[in-house]
Amino acid sequence: MRKEILKLLFTADDFLSGEQISETLGISRAAVWKHIKAIKDEGGIIEAHTKRGYRLVALPDLLKPDYVGFFTQRAADIVWLREVDSTNEYAKRMAREGAPHGSIYIAELQTKGKGRLSRGWVSCPGDAIQMSMLLRPEFEPPKAPAVTFAAALGVVSAIRRTCGIEAKIKWPNDVVFGGKKLCGILTEMSSDMDRVEYIVCGMGLNVNQREFDGEVAEKAISLRMASGKKQDRVRLAAAMADDVRAYCERYILQGIDAIFDEYCANSVIIGKEIKVLSGNKTVTGVCSGFSKQGELLLDIDGKTQAFMAGEVSVRGMEQYI
């Protein structure tokens, strides 16, 4: 019933009286007030006037399907978690239990968030979007790495149309702005020799952090810091659910040619001199592009060398990119 009340308020052009709501939904005015209070307790802003009724000013800043669902058709795919070890780990557990293709897991807090190469990733509740999407593509394991290409394009698209920020992509798994990291993407796979069982694509997007501490401040940025204003996590999570799913489906159904040129056009390292860190070894060269298998192509003294995403890190010559 709370969802129905919220929908009435969300779609109303002006105030709705308690009497209008109770008559429309067939419940008492006391029940209406109870649900209004519950929405406000979760952080929703609702104006209340004795003679005019109720008006929704802002949805709660929680990434529940009930709220995200106002901006996406994917709400039925979303599982909301107040706290979890890692959305990727949770998604993998659900995959093993048979969860369907397209399932989306969003957490307000991760206690053991992780990035590539076993690095940790931490954020406070309300600051970020931690989302993992479960995919069950019917293709061979060598095609899996380029799923990160599709996910990165989806994140960039969501940021641009929701926040108006011209984010770009840093191979292999970062979305960046102004030379600093906005979002990390971690793609993990379960497969046998010939078939992918499932892929989990995890995304950690810095949204409303005001600042970062220590060494992180040198390479990280949030959408709030980039734009100078607080961002709507609910709308942004909905856009990510839509756009990441759309780009991943395009890749799964049509292949790499359907997204490759767009990915290259949004890269911040093509044509730049970069350092590739692999274990204790550092190689310097100019990024000449990427292979359609997801590899970085580095021009080193006139010769091209390919690097896989799971093996290396990339840095600019003087900064993060």
Side-chain angles (χ1 to χ4, degrees):
M1 188 56 64
R2 190 175 307 166
K3 184 177 179 180
E4 284 73 21
I5 291 172
L6 197 58
K7 184 176 181 180
L8 287 175
L9 292 172
F10 185 83
T11 56
D13 294 326
D14 201 350
F15 284 85
L16 281 180
S17 69
E19 184 178 1
Q20 286 176 295
I21 297 172
S22 65
E23 288 180 356
T24 300
L25 299 178
I27 60 175
S28 68
R29 293 184 66 175
V32 171
W33 166 243
K34 177 182 176 182
H35 289 297
I36 292 286
K37 184 178 183 300
I39 295 167
K40 292 172 73 173
D41 288 344
E42 287 198 331
I45 301 174
I46 298 175
E47 289 185 12
H49 289 275
T50 303
K51 295 183 179 180
R52 303 182 68 187
Y54 305 103
R55 184 173 74 90
L56 179 67
V57 177
L59 290 165
D61 185 28
L62 292 173
L63 305 182
K64 289 184 173 182
D66 284 356
Y67 307 142
V68 177
F70 285 113
F71 308 104
T72 175
Q73 299 299 314
R74 303 286 180 195
D77 298 328
I78 295 173
V79 175
W80 178 80
L81 306 157
R82 185 174 293 278
E83 181 177 320
V84 72
D85 52 353
S86 154
T87 55
N88 263 31
E89 291 302 315
Y90 189 90
K92 288 189 285 185
R93 292 195 290 271
M94 295 302 99
R96 292 191 289 270
E97 293 181 13
H101 174 83
S103 297
I104 298 168
Y105 304 94
I106 304 177
E108 299 295 338
L109 175 65
Q110 290 186 131
T111 58
K112 296 180 181 178
K114 61 180 181 177
R116 286 180 63 248
L117 307 177
S118 299
R119 299 188 182 104
W121 188 78
V122 179
S123 69
C124 297
D127 279 349
I129 294 174
Q130 291 103 185
M131 175 187 295
S132 292
M133 185 174 293
L134 172 63
L135 303 171
R136 295 188 183 275
E138 296 183 359
F139 56 46
E140 301 78 18
K143 294 184 179 179
V147 167
T148 305
F149 282 20
L153 284 168
V155 173
V156 165
S157 174
I159 291 171
R160 288 177 179 172
R161 69 186 182 90
T162 305
C163 309
I165 293 171
E166 287 296 308
K168 294 284 187 176
I169 300 167
K170 172 181 172 279
W171 185 95
N173 71 321
D174 292 346
V175 173
V176 299
F177 177 80
K180 294 187 176 183
K181 180 175 179 176
L182 276 171
C183 178
I185 300 170
L186 177 62
T187 302
E188 299 180 282
M189 172 180 68
S190 175
S191 70
D192 55 29
M193 291 292 292
D194 303 315
R195 182 184 65 89
V196 169
E197 180 186 1
Y198 64 80
I199 293 172
V200 169
C201 188
M203 296 147 280
L205 176 63
N206 298 326
V207 182
N208 280 322
Q209 294 95 332
R210 294 176 182 270
E211 61 182 4
F212 293 97
D213 298 325
E215 294 181 0
V216 177
E218 298 177 4
K219 61 181 181 179
I221 193 171
S222 71
L223 293 170
R224 184 172 189 160
M225 294 163 65
S227 66
K229 62 182 180 181
K230 186 176 181 180
Q231 297 293 331
D232 188 332
R233 287 194 317 141
V234 175
R235 287 180 182 269
L236 188 53
M240 286 175 63
D242 285 343
D243 293 4
V244 172
R245 173 74 177 263
Y247 274 98
C248 286
E249 292 288 1
R250 188 184 305 176
Y251 172 57
I252 291 169
L253 297 174
Q254 301 177 39
I256 190 63
D257 288 341
I259 64 169
F260 188 74
D261 289 345
E262 187 175 354
Y263 182 88
C264 293
N266 282 282
S267 170
V268 291
I269 64 170
I270 289 180
K272 285 190 176 181
E273 188 175 16
I274 57 174
K275 294 182 290 186
V276 175
L277 289 65
S278 180
N280 296 322
K281 184 179 179 182
T282 300
V283 178
T284 300
V286 175
C287 175
S288 58
F290 312 99
S291 76
K292 292 186 177 182
Q293 289 71 47
E295 301 162 307
L296 169 72
L297 302 179
L298 196 65
D299 187 343
I300 306 171
D301 297 327
K303 295 183 179 179
T304 300
Q305 187 171 343
F307 295 88
M308 287 298 297
E311 304 169 348
V312 300
S313 294
V314 172
R315 293 289 182 270
M317 294 303 293
E318 298 179 356
Q319 55 182 355
Y320 179 62
I321 58 171

